Amino acid sequence: MFGIPVFELSLLVVGLLVAGAVTGLLAGLFGVGGGAVAVPVLYELFRFMEVPEEVRMPLCIGTSLAIIIPTSLRSFYAHKAKGAVDMTILGKWAVPVVLGVVLGSFIARYAPADLFKIVFVVVAGASAIRLLFGNDKWRLADDLPAGWLMRFYGLLIGVLSSLMGIGGGQLSNLFMTFYGRPIHQAVATSSGLGILISIPGTLGYMYAGWPRASEFPDVVALQFPIAIGYVSLLGLALFIPTTVLTAPIGVRLAHSWSKSKLEMAFGIFLLLICLRFLASVLF
């Protein structure tokens, strides 16, 4: 089936369902869309399916953005029900974030594979250092900026998130805590960014990867109906059921943990992902 022995495909399906459950749990817990988990898991999946290196990483990212859509919706509404989401910030960021995602999707069409990994490592590494070794004195200001600077941050979050396949949680968490916002509010508000990033990002990666199917006719993972452009429908179908079910569990955990515990857990998680992709780039 799909050019893979049935037994191996069955193991792969089970593994992806379990990974989807972990992705949903972490999405709710850390306010991320789950891309930081989904991208490395999908990378190993597509390596197993012998997807060429030059299209493997963007295929992971496009698929991750599609997976983030239902997870972010579920996570956002769960956090919003608890009154923890700052809708004012989301309103200011809506347009620049979407424009950034469109720009990032355009870059993805022409960028080399290692660019995606390098962006992933830099952002994840900065976030991990801030969470593990920083303190309340690590601030740029006591309140969020206004005007063009706030919109520039939104544009930057959109571009980098679309190149990483994430819902913006890592970046907005880092940004908001640098401006004095508590981690619980940062996590909750970040979940809303996933909606603004994942939907246009998914459409952008479908467009960016559409010509690649004809360039790699022997790569099953890129061919319709297995995939549309850089979005794998097979990976999407296997991830979504368990991510949607487990995201609310993560939300309940997030609101029951202390600030220090939540920051430590998020920092270790990001550091591990950072090291994984750094090793991939170097070796």
Side-chain angles (χ1 to χ4, degrees), residues 180-198:
R181 292 301 179 96
I183 184 66
H184 288 87
Q185 186 186 66
V187 165
T189 305
S190 297
S191 65
L193 278 182
I195 301 171
L196 297 174
I197 291 169
S198 59

Side-chain angles (χ1 to χ4, degrees), residues 1-278:
M1 186 179 294
F2 308 127
I4 305 174
V6 173
F7 177 73
E8 294 182 8
L9 182 61
S10 300
L11 292 177
L12 187 60
V13 168
V14 173
L16 282 171
L17 290 173
V18 172
V22 175
T23 299
L25 182 68
L26 293 173
L29 180 60
F30 298 133
V32 298
V37 179
V39 169
V41 171
L42 288 168
Y43 187 85
E44 297 306 323
L45 162 65
F46 297 137
R47 181 181 62 82
F48 173 77
M49 297 179 70
E50 299 182 347
V51 175
E53 180 70 25
E54 54 264 47
V55 294
R56 189 185 308 161
M57 193 65 181
L59 182 60
C60 297
I61 292 171
T63 305
S64 172
L65 288 168
I67 291 167
I68 287 168
I69 295 174
T71 308
S72 293
L73 286 168
R74 192 75 183 271
S75 179
F76 169 69
Y77 285 113
H79 279 292
K80 191 172 183 292
K82 294 181 179 292
V85 178
D86 190 327
M87 296 300 296
T88 302
I89 294 177
L90 291 181
K92 292 179 179 178
W93 271 347
V95 173
V97 164
V98 172
L99 290 176
V101 172
V102 172
L103 177 59
S105 300
F106 178 79
I107 293 171
R109 183 161 187 164
Y110 305 101
D114 280 350
L115 174 66
F116 302 96
K117 297 176 184 177
I118 291 169
V119 171
F120 211 108
V121 167
V122 170
V123 175
S127 299
I129 290 170
R130 167 67 178 88
L131 290 165
L132 292 173
F133 305 109
N135 54 52
D136 291 337
K137 295 180 180 179
W138 286 28
R139 291 188 182 184
L140 297 175
D142 293 327
D143 201 2
L144 294 171
W148 68 268
L149 183 57
M150 185 70 169
R151 291 175 175 81
F152 171 75
Y153 280 133
L155 181 72
L156 184 63
I157 288 171
V159 171
L160 294 178
S161 296
S162 66
L163 292 176
M164 293 174 66
I166 63 173
Q170 295 180 37
L171 294 161
S172 56
N173 281 338
L174 185 66
F175 168 80
M176 290 180 68
T177 53
F178 267 134
Y179 281 93
R181 292 301 179 96
I183 184 66
H184 288 87
Q185 186 186 66
V187 165
T189 305
S190 297
S191 65
L193 278 182
I195 301 171
L196 297 174
I197 291 169
S198 59
I199 295 175
T202 298
L203 296 175
Y205 270 77
M206 286 180 175
Y207 164 76
W210 187 260
R212 299 298 242 169
S214 59
E215 294 175 19
F216 297 92
D218 296 331
V219 179
V220 176
L222 281 174
Q223 306 306 314
F224 184 83
I226 303 301
I228 300 177
Y230 281 140
V231 177
S232 169
L233 301 183
L234 175 62
L236 180 62
L238 293 174
F239 258 74
I240 282 181
T242 48
T243 56
V244 171
L245 289 173
T246 57
I249 300 174
V251 171
R252 289 195 292 271
L253 284 174
H255 287 277
S256 66
W257 284 12
S258 66
K259 175 186 175 182
S260 60
K261 186 176 182 180
L262 189 59
E263 289 182 337
M264 181 66 69
F266 194 25
I268 292 172
F269 165 71
L270 291 178
L271 184 60
L272 292 174
I273 300 300
C274 177
L275 292 174
R276 185 261 176 272
F277 275 103
L278 182 60

